Tab-separated table of all heavy atoms in Angstrom:
chain	number	residue	atom	x	y	z
A	28	ARG	N	79.366	-112.205	366.321
A	28	ARG	CA	78.382	-111.771	367.312
A	28	ARG	C	78.404	-110.254	367.501
A	28	ARG	O	77.408	-109.653	367.879
A	28	ARG	CB	78.607	-112.480	368.649
A	28	ARG	CG	78.055	-113.902	368.631
A	28	ARG	CD	78.027	-114.515	370.000
A	28	ARG	NE	79.377	-114.821	370.470
A	28	ARG	CZ	79.944	-114.290	371.531
A	28	ARG	NH1	79.272	-113.429	372.261
A	28	ARG	NH2	81.160	-114.615	371.866
A	29	PHE	N	79.558	-109.639	367.272
A	29	PHE	CA	79.627	-108.193	367.509
A	29	PHE	C	80.358	-107.428	366.407
A	29	PHE	O	80.495	-106.205	366.485
A	29	PHE	CB	80.295	-107.901	368.856
A	29	PHE	CG	81.716	-108.382	368.936
A	29	PHE	CD1	82.743	-107.594	368.455
A	29	PHE	CD2	82.015	-109.627	369.459
A	29	PHE	CE1	84.051	-108.039	368.499
A	29	PHE	CE2	83.318	-110.078	369.508
A	29	PHE	CZ	84.335	-109.277	369.020
A	30	ALA	N	80.843	-108.144	365.407
A	30	ALA	CA	81.573	-107.465	364.342
A	30	ALA	C	81.102	-107.979	362.998
A	30	ALA	O	80.520	-109.055	362.908
A	30	ALA	CB	83.072	-107.705	364.500
A	31	LYS	N	81.337	-107.168	361.965
A	31	LYS	CA	80.968	-107.660	360.642
A	31	LYS	C	82.217	-107.762	359.764
A	31	LYS	O	83.145	-106.956	359.894
A	31	LYS	CB	79.896	-106.792	360.008
A	31	LYS	CG	80.241	-105.328	359.853
A	31	LYS	CD	79.088	-104.648	359.122
A	31	LYS	CE	79.144	-103.149	359.085
A	31	LYS	NZ	80.354	-102.427	358.948
A	32	PRO	N	82.242	-108.796	358.890
A	32	PRO	CA	83.418	-108.962	358.048
A	32	PRO	C	83.599	-107.762	357.109
A	32	PRO	O	82.616	-107.167	356.663
A	32	PRO	CB	83.130	-110.218	357.234
A	32	PRO	CG	81.862	-110.791	357.754
A	32	PRO	CD	81.193	-109.758	358.579
A	33	THR	N	84.824	-107.396	356.835
A	33	THR	CA	85.094	-106.323	355.876
A	33	THR	C	85.487	-106.959	354.536
A	33	THR	O	85.497	-108.171	354.413
A	33	THR	CB	86.246	-105.425	356.359
A	33	THR	OG1	87.434	-106.219	356.405
A	33	THR	CG2	85.961	-104.838	357.726
A	34	ASP	N	85.819	-106.127	353.570
A	34	ASP	CA	86.221	-106.649	352.259
A	34	ASP	C	87.549	-107.408	352.316
A	34	ASP	O	87.796	-108.296	351.516
A	34	ASP	CB	86.339	-105.506	351.239
A	34	ASP	CG	84.964	-104.922	350.919
A	34	ASP	OD1	83.958	-105.646	351.126
A	34	ASP	OD2	84.887	-103.758	350.490
A	35	ALA	N	88.385	-107.028	353.279
A	35	ALA	CA	89.666	-107.726	353.427
A	35	ALA	C	89.432	-109.075	354.106
A	35	ALA	O	88.769	-109.123	355.135
A	35	ALA	CB	90.628	-106.880	354.242
A	36	PRO	N	89.959	-110.166	353.546
A	36	PRO	CA	89.706	-111.485	354.139
A	36	PRO	C	90.289	-111.583	355.550
A	36	PRO	O	91.418	-111.175	355.785
A	36	PRO	CB	90.411	-112.460	353.187
A	36	PRO	CG	91.185	-111.653	352.221
A	36	PRO	CD	90.807	-110.222	352.360
A	37	GLY	N	89.488	-112.101	356.478
A	37	GLY	CA	89.943	-112.279	357.850
A	37	GLY	C	89.930	-111.015	358.691
A	37	GLY	O	90.332	-111.023	359.834
A	38	GLU	N	89.464	-109.918	358.100
A	38	GLU	CA	89.404	-108.664	358.852
A	38	GLU	C	87.955	-108.344	359.201
A	38	GLU	O	87.080	-108.402	358.349
A	38	GLU	CB	89.969	-107.508	358.022
A	38	GLU	CG	91.407	-107.714	357.624
A	38	GLU	CD	92.343	-106.842	358.442
A	38	GLU	OE1	91.852	-106.076	359.288
A	38	GLU	OE2	93.556	-106.948	358.223
A	39	TYR	N	87.763	-107.987	360.464
A	39	TYR	CA	86.413	-107.670	360.924
A	39	TYR	C	86.360	-106.247	361.436
A	39	TYR	O	87.380	-105.645	361.761
A	39	TYR	CB	85.982	-108.640	362.027
A	39	TYR	CG	85.641	-109.999	361.496
A	39	TYR	CD1	86.637	-110.879	361.102
A	39	TYR	CD2	84.313	-110.394	361.369
A	39	TYR	CE1	86.318	-112.130	360.594
A	39	TYR	CE2	83.990	-111.635	360.876
A	39	TYR	CZ	84.994	-112.501	360.491
A	39	TYR	OH	84.669	-113.728	359.999
A	40	GLU	N	85.157	-105.744	361.522
A	40	GLU	CA	84.965	-104.392	362.006
A	40	GLU	C	83.927	-104.461	363.118
A	40	GLU	O	82.828	-104.972	362.912
A	40	GLU	CB	84.441	-103.561	360.846
A	40	GLU	CG	84.475	-102.092	361.063
A	40	GLU	CD	84.070	-101.388	359.768
A	40	GLU	OE1	82.889	-101.512	359.371
A	40	GLU	OE2	84.932	-100.767	359.150
A	41	THR	N	84.299	-103.973	364.291
A	41	THR	CA	83.368	-103.989	365.408
A	41	THR	C	82.220	-103.022	365.135
A	41	THR	O	82.438	-101.891	364.725
A	41	THR	CB	84.080	-103.604	366.716
A	41	THR	OG1	85.089	-104.560	366.983
A	41	THR	CG2	83.115	-103.554	367.894
A	42	THR	N	81.000	-103.512	365.340
A	42	THR	CA	79.857	-102.636	365.111
A	42	THR	C	79.524	-101.884	366.392
A	42	THR	O	79.722	-102.382	367.495
A	42	THR	CB	78.629	-103.444	364.639
A	42	THR	OG1	78.453	-104.555	365.517
A	42	THR	CG2	78.822	-103.961	363.222
A	43	PHE	N	79.027	-100.715	366.232
A	43	PHE	CA	78.697	-99.874	367.372
A	43	PHE	C	77.258	-100.152	367.789
A	43	PHE	O	76.327	-99.950	367.014
A	43	PHE	CB	78.888	-98.409	366.968
A	43	PHE	CG	79.112	-97.503	368.135
A	43	PHE	CD1	80.397	-97.244	368.591
A	43	PHE	CD2	78.038	-96.917	368.774
A	43	PHE	CE1	80.610	-96.419	369.670
A	43	PHE	CE2	78.246	-96.085	369.866
A	43	PHE	CZ	79.532	-95.832	370.314
A	44	GLY	N	77.065	-100.668	369.032
A	44	GLY	CA	75.726	-100.991	369.505
A	44	GLY	C	74.904	-99.736	369.739
A	44	GLY	O	75.447	-98.701	370.101
A	45	ASP	N	73.620	-99.837	369.511
A	45	ASP	CA	72.770	-98.681	369.772
A	45	ASP	C	71.760	-99.027	370.856
A	45	ASP	O	70.752	-99.653	370.617
A	45	ASP	CB	72.055	-98.254	368.484
A	45	ASP	CG	71.451	-96.864	368.618
A	45	ASP	OD1	71.727	-96.190	369.638
A	45	ASP	OD2	70.712	-96.459	367.707
A	46	GLN	N	72.085	-98.635	372.089
A	46	GLN	CA	71.202	-98.969	373.204
A	46	GLN	C	70.188	-97.869	373.475
A	46	GLN	O	69.197	-98.070	374.151
A	46	GLN	CB	72.030	-99.223	374.474
A	46	GLN	CG	73.006	-100.375	374.316
A	46	GLN	CD	73.910	-100.518	375.524
A	46	GLN	OE1	73.664	-99.940	376.572
A	46	GLN	NE2	74.961	-101.300	375.375
A	47	GLY	N	70.447	-96.700	372.976
A	47	GLY	CA	69.547	-95.575	373.237
A	47	GLY	C	70.310	-94.267	373.143
A	47	GLY	O	71.497	-94.263	372.838
A	48	THR	N	69.639	-93.168	373.415
A	48	THR	CA	70.283	-91.875	373.238
A	48	THR	C	70.574	-91.154	374.556
A	48	THR	O	71.128	-90.056	374.565
A	48	THR	CB	69.425	-90.952	372.334
A	48	THR	OG1	68.087	-90.963	372.838
A	48	THR	CG2	69.414	-91.443	370.905
A	49	ASP	N	70.157	-91.756	375.695
A	49	ASP	CA	70.492	-91.149	376.981
A	49	ASP	C	71.999	-91.140	377.186
A	49	ASP	O	72.705	-91.946	376.598
A	49	ASP	CB	69.865	-91.963	378.135
A	49	ASP	CG	68.382	-91.668	378.279
A	49	ASP	OD1	67.884	-90.847	377.483
A	49	ASP	OD2	67.751	-92.273	379.151
A	50	GLU	N	72.427	-90.237	378.082
A	50	GLU	CA	73.859	-90.148	378.349
A	50	GLU	C	74.395	-91.468	378.912
A	50	GLU	O	75.452	-91.932	378.518
A	50	GLU	CB	74.088	-89.015	379.349
A	50	GLU	CG	75.359	-88.244	379.063
A	50	GLU	CD	75.388	-86.952	379.832
A	50	GLU	OE1	74.663	-86.016	379.449
A	50	GLU	OE2	76.106	-86.907	380.839
A	51	ASP	N	73.626	-92.078	379.835
A	51	ASP	CA	74.005	-93.361	380.422
A	51	ASP	C	74.118	-94.434	379.356
A	51	ASP	O	75.050	-95.227	379.345
A	51	ASP	CB	72.938	-93.826	381.432
A	51	ASP	CG	73.159	-93.193	382.796
A	51	ASP	OD1	74.101	-92.382	382.916
A	51	ASP	OD2	72.378	-93.510	383.715
A	52	GLU	N	73.125	-94.450	378.494
A	52	GLU	CA	73.110	-95.460	377.432
A	52	GLU	C	74.282	-95.257	376.473
A	52	GLU	O	74.933	-96.203	376.063
A	52	GLU	CB	71.776	-95.411	376.680
A	52	GLU	CG	70.626	-95.965	377.504
A	52	GLU	CD	69.251	-95.606	376.944
A	52	GLU	OE1	69.142	-94.625	376.187
A	52	GLU	OE2	68.313	-96.326	377.278
Side-chain angles (χ1 to χ4, degrees):
R28 281 191 289 118
F29 62 85
K31 58 176 170 37
T33 64
D34 291 337
E38 300 255 359
Y39 286 75
E40 193 174 67
T41 298
T42 49
F43 203 91
D45 195 8
Q46 299 174 14
T48 50
D49 282 0
E50 217 166 285
D51 276 2
E52 288 165 338

